[in-house]
Amino acid sequence: MSHLLRLLWVAIMLLALAACASTKKEPEPPPSAKVEAHAAENLLHDTTVIPGVRVGPVFLDMPLRKMIEVFGEPVSSINSRVPGGRPALLYHYPDPGAAEGALLVLVREYDQTVYSIQVDHIEIFQTREGVRFGSSEALVRASFGKPQSVGESTVTGQDGATAVMRTYCYLNGLAVRLNANGNVEALTVFPGGDLRKICKAQ
């Protein structure tokens, strides 16, 4: 009888272990609305430039409605075109801290989504490597290496003097405009695959 009891006890223990092993882990509940709101609030004050992805809270391919919800209404807009030639609108957000500073968001007209974001003369927006308005060409090269493409344009100042401006383009989706002294004037986040449309190839 004791042998039978021992067998019964072993059988019960095996069944219990099998039940524990087959118990499925409950899926974690989705984050609460409060957590999501907190994350959105943090991003709203983010000033990170991530090539090919975003500038602060404004993302590439973000719908126009969402852009207005998170960043507010722009002060002005002008007709423009994406590099492929399709119609677009360029929306202008001024920098309250600098007269020349502006965030320029190019939105495709056909689907009302963000194509590119340009940070022009604004110091607070910077890449994770620290590249921002006023940074040297040396820091740009040290951070991103040799550009895949370089565009050049000649500008004439009020005194009649001309200067050559360069734009470095990288496949990761970042264009860096340098002034005649080799300092960063603007950063543009764009779809990396459109590099040759953004910058003239070397």
Side-chain angles (χ1 to χ4, degrees), residues 40-154:
E41 180 67 22
N42 285 344
L43 191 59
L44 183 61
H45 300 292
D46 190 287
T47 55
T48 308
V49 175
I50 302 179
V53 179
R54 67 179 173 91
V55 171
V58 182
F59 286 74
L60 297 185
D61 297 320
M62 176 182 269
L64 177 60
R65 169 63 63 184
K66 185 69 177 172
M67 182 186 82
I68 292 171
E69 285 174 10
V70 301
F71 209 63
E73 293 185 56
V75 297
S76 64
S77 61
I78 58 171
N79 287 326
S80 186
R81 292 191 177 276
V82 296
R86 298 182 83 167
L89 286 165
L90 186 65
Y91 293 101
H92 179 269
Y93 291 92
D95 175 24
E100 289 184 312
L103 192 73
L104 305 169
V105 183
L106 189 62
V107 174
R108 303 176 189 91
E109 201 164 318
Y110 75 91
D111 66 356
Q112 298 294 294
T113 60
V114 173
Y115 174 78
S116 66
I117 310 145
Q118 180 176 317
V119 179
D120 201 352
H121 288 82
I122 303 179
E123 218 171 324
I124 62 167
F125 287 101
Q126 63 179 13
T127 68
R128 288 170 173 158
E129 297 80 7
V131 174
R132 62 181 181 179
F133 170 66
S135 292
S136 67
E137 181 180 14
L139 180 59
V140 174
R141 290 267 187 160
S143 301
F144 303 110
K146 181 183 177 184
Q148 279 75 49
S149 179
V150 177
E152 289 189 350
S153 58
T154 303

Side-chain angles (χ1 to χ4, degrees), residues 150-156 162-167 177-178 180 200:
V150 177
E152 289 189 350
S153 58
T154 303
V155 293
T156 305
T162 60
V164 176
M165 311 276 282
R166 284 167 295 144
T167 301
R177 191 178 77 221
L178 303 167
K200 182 181 175 183

Side-chain angles (χ1 to χ4, degrees), residues 83 148-149 169 171 190-202:
Q148 279 75 49
S149 179
C169 280
L171 280 171
F190 66 93
D194 285 358
L195 178 142
R196 293 187 185 278
K197 297 176 186 176
I198 299 277
C199 272
K200 182 181 175 183
Q202 294 188 75

